[in-house]
Amino acid sequence: RKEVEQDPGPFNVPEGATVAFNCTYSNSASQSFFWYRQDCRKEPKLLMSVYSSGNEDGRFTAQLNRASQYISLLIRDSKLSDSATYLCVVGDMEYGNKLVFGAGTILRVKS
Amino acid sequence: SQTIHQWPATLVQPVGSPLSLECTVEGTSNPNLYWYRQAAGRGLQLLFYSVGIGQISSEVPQNLSASRPQDRQFILSSKKLLLSDSGFYLCAWSERDEQFFGPGTRLTVL
């Protein structure tokens, strides 16, 4: 079983749509959670950290369910510029602060 | 603000040749540093991480090595490249729990 699992997609959605990505992780001791965005042939960039209480940043909402070991990302009112690969990332805050990356979910927003 | 640099941006090397990729970070002190590899169409694989000068932890057995000669410098090396070493090499830094990536080096081994 992979440590971090994501639906690879691709998710093809029209502009203005709402799209949700899901992610599960296997290490119950994980302490930190993130969503990164990666554009084609570019480095990953931090989109948002994910907290137990849930957090929102504009059109993006992230949720964490520790009991189910499940993380989600909701994008409302999709823009063409949202097209990218979204990476679910989990860390354990131990020595070295290592992160484990999911393989990513591809999003294509079309006009 | 902090910035992270990697070079070269792209590299084409023959099998069996040596490799040296460099990463430097500015605007921070004593960061944790990381080397990742991303093979085509796949996720990021952590190769090495360092919590301080001269301290290197290896995550996977391979023909690559890493060194940290200065606080904000991280080097990835190989004595003899394999075809399977091709990929997108990313350096990252962190102070707390978030990691920030450099622009990466795209390596093709022929």
Side-chain angles (χ1 to χ4, degrees), chain A residues 90-109:
Chain A
V90 174
D92 58 17
M93 297 296 288
E94 290 182 357
Y95 180 81
N97 185 32
K98 294 180 289 181
L99 299 183
V100 179
F101 285 74
T105 298
I106 298 170
L107 173 65
R108 296 178 184 147
V109 182

Side-chain angles (χ1 to χ4, degrees), chain A residues 9 11 13 16 18 20 39 60 76 81 96 98 102 104-105 109:
Chain A
F11 284 48
V13 303
T18 295
D39 293 294
F60 298 82
R76 291 180 299 277
S81 58
K98 294 180 289 181
T105 298
V109 182

Side-chain angles (χ1 to χ4, degrees), chain A residues 5-107:
Chain A
E5 294 206 55
Q6 296 182 248
D7 181 343
F11 284 48
N12 295 301
V13 303
E15 276 186 289
T18 295
V19 60
F21 302 139
N22 303 318
C23 168
T24 57
Y25 60 95
S26 60
N27 184 359
S28 60
S30 299
Q31 295 292 325
S32 57
F33 309 89
F34 310 93
W35 284 100
Y36 279 72
R37 170 196 170 126
Q38 186 173 23
D39 293 294
C40 186
R41 299 179 70 81
K42 296 288 188 180
E43 74 274 22
K45 293 188 177 177
L46 180 65
L47 181 64
M48 56 199 307
S49 301
V50 188
Y51 306 114
S52 295
S53 55
N55 47 305
E56 184 174 314
D57 182 3
R59 298 182 292 109
F60 298 82
T61 301
Q63 297 279 352
L64 168 64
N65 184 322
R66 285 183 182 267
S68 302
Q69 296 178 206
Y70 169 91
I71 307 164
S72 66
L73 177 68
L74 185 75
I75 305 176
R76 291 180 299 277
D77 188 23
S78 299
K79 312 290 185 190
L80 292 175
S81 58
D82 293 333
S83 297
T85 298
Y86 290 82
L87 307 173
C88 177
V89 184
V90 174
D92 58 17
M93 297 296 288
E94 290 182 357
Y95 180 81
N97 185 32
K98 294 180 289 181
L99 299 183
V100 179
F101 285 74
T105 298
I106 298 170
L107 173 65

